[in-house]
Amino acid sequence: MPELPEVQTISSQLQKTILNHKIRDVWSDWPKTLQVVSHQKHLKIKKTKKNLKKEESDEILNAFCNDIIGKKIKSVERI
């Protein structure tokens, strides 16, 4: 787990370099951890059950990609 100063440094660097850039591609090695719920351009991502079939996790990843590819990065925050 990174320490807070490291997280702030990364967040500040990303804020300077990627704002207003468009998302061109997405990669995830854990697509089963995503669940996409789209509500009028607001994307909510929640954890989902871990025993999904590969087809189900691929479908979730594809939906996630379709929702965010082409969107602009408006802000960078640390949580």
Side-chain angles (χ1 to χ4, degrees), residues 61-78:
L61 181 58
N62 288 337
F64 176 74
C65 292
N66 289 337
D67 276 349
I68 68 167
I69 289 179
K71 301 266 171 65
K72 282 189 178 182
I73 299 169
K74 295 183 180 180
S75 69
V76 176
E77 302 172 356
R78 62 177 173 81

Side-chain angles (χ1 to χ4, degrees), residues 29-66:
D29 58 349
W30 290 336
K32 292 179 182 180
T33 62
L34 298 175
Q35 179 180 355
V36 179
V37 181
S38 222
H39 297 288
Q40 299 175 353
K41 298 183 182 179
H42 291 79
L43 184 66
K44 295 182 181 181
I45 304 162
K46 300 185 273 184
K47 285 189 178 182
T48 189
K49 59 184 179 180
K50 294 182 178 159
N51 57 349
L52 288 177
K53 296 177 185 173
K54 179 166 176 18
E55 298 82 27
E56 292 172 315
S57 65
D58 288 347
E59 184 179 334
I60 290 169
L61 181 58
N62 288 337
F64 176 74
C65 292
N66 289 337

